[in-house]
Amino acid sequence: MTAFEEELHAVEKKVSAQLSDGRFQHCLRVSDYARKLAQENGVDENQAALAGLVHDYAKERPAEDFLAAIDRFHLDPDLKNWSRAIWHGVVGAEMIQDELGIDDPAILDAVRLHTTGDGVEMPTLAKIVFMADYLETGRDFPGVKEAREITDKSLDRGVFYQLQHTLSFLAENGNVIYPKTFTSYNDWARHFA
Ligand code: GDP
Ligand code: FE
Ligand code: FE
Ligand code: FE
């Protein structure tokens, strides 16, 4: 085994210990899909595979862990007004660095941005994890096949597709929408206008 494969296996064990089997399997599929998108887009596939593996590491933590971490890591106190859907990326990145010892800033940023996306300056690795989370082979929503085809042709078009559809979905269901979700959408809508 290469040193990287050994690291990946060690991290897999730590991720699986934090998650239900269903969510752990999702993380493995995101890791695989991120590797594929990395190959298509000239990104280091090992870096993408590791980022995909850890992206939902914090998803099942109790609210009190996130609230304590927001203080401990001096994050924006407004985060306390949100919920696990938002925390597990932004706050989860700090937990991943602290608890898994992953220090690669590109991986930590990709985790931070994987729920809300970011503007057009979003790093390629972050686009890859954002799309792998949406398109992994276990995902089955109307349009997923089209979304996969668009993303294979253009990663950027895929990012915009997801932002557009997620925003519509959240609004249709009357969910509260995090401001960054709007600003990410607006930036890409302007870009492609
Ligand atoms: P998951 O962790 O694999 O389920 O995927 P994500 O991290 O991308 O998203 C987590 C959840 O947050 C999903 O149910 C999204 O629809 C939801 N979500 C994404 N953006 C927002 C937002 O701006 N506000 C709220 N309330 N939920 C959001
Ligand atoms: Fe997530
Ligand atoms: Fe996502
Ligand atoms: Fe996910």
Side-chain angles (χ1 to χ4, degrees):
M1 250 200 276
T2 63
F4 175 77
E5 283 166 344
E6 283 183 25
E7 185 191 0
L8 204 63
H9 281 291
V11 172
E12 264 176 31
K13 279 187 202 152
K14 292 181 189 167
V15 174
S16 81
Q18 294 276 323
L19 298 176
S20 65
D21 187 56
R23 186 163 278 110
F24 176 60
Q25 297 301 326
H26 161 70
C27 290
L28 294 177
R29 292 189 300 266
V30 172
S31 181
D32 288 345
Y33 210 94
R35 191 184 277 286
K36 166 191 132 76
L37 290 177
Q39 283 167 358
E40 292 175 5
N41 291 280
V43 165
D44 180 339
E45 41 169 306
N46 286 335
Q47 189 186 32
L50 181 56
L53 175 64
V54 301
H55 82 288
D56 277 341
Y57 170 78
K59 184 86 184 227
E60 296 177 5
R61 298 287 279 255
E64 66 223 46
D65 281 25
F66 287 112
L67 294 168
I70 291 165
D71 288 332
R72 178 150 98 89
F73 296 105
H74 309 288
L75 303 178
D76 181 353
D78 172 65
L79 279 167
K80 292 187 181 178
N81 300 315
W82 295 85
S83 66
R84 185 176 284 97
I86 298 304
W87 292 333
H88 80 284
V90 186
V91 187
E94 305 300 330
M95 294 168 165
I96 287 164
Q97 183 171 28
D98 184 47
E99 298 170 22
L100 300 181
I102 292 173
D103 290 317
D104 180 343
I107 292 179
L108 298 174
D109 273 340
V111 173
R112 279 186 192 102
L113 299 174
H114 89 265
T115 305
T116 59
D118 201 357
V120 298
E121 76 290 356
M122 197 175 170
T124 308
L125 183 69
K127 291 176 188 168
I128 284 172
V129 174
F130 185 63
M131 294 317 300
D133 187 23
Y134 192 56
L135 301 176
E136 55 95 343
T137 56
R139 296 285 195 201
D140 185 20
F141 55 83
V144 68
K145 193 164 170 278
E146 185 195 7
R148 288 190 185 115
E149 288 165 3
I150 289 168
T151 307
D152 282 336
K153 285 195 204 128
S154 162
L155 186 60
D156 285 358
R157 284 279 175 189
V159 169
F160 184 50
Y161 182 101
Q162 180 181 170
L163 287 168
Q164 190 177 351
H165 288 263
T166 299
L167 188 61
S168 302
F169 174 84
L170 290 169
E172 262 167 34
N173 288 286
N175 287 304
V176 175
I177 297 175
Y178 191 61
K180 191 170 181 70
T181 303
F182 279 116
T183 57
S184 299
Y185 166 80
N186 280 339
D187 207 52
W188 286 94
R190 258 186 217 108
H191 180 71
F192 283 123

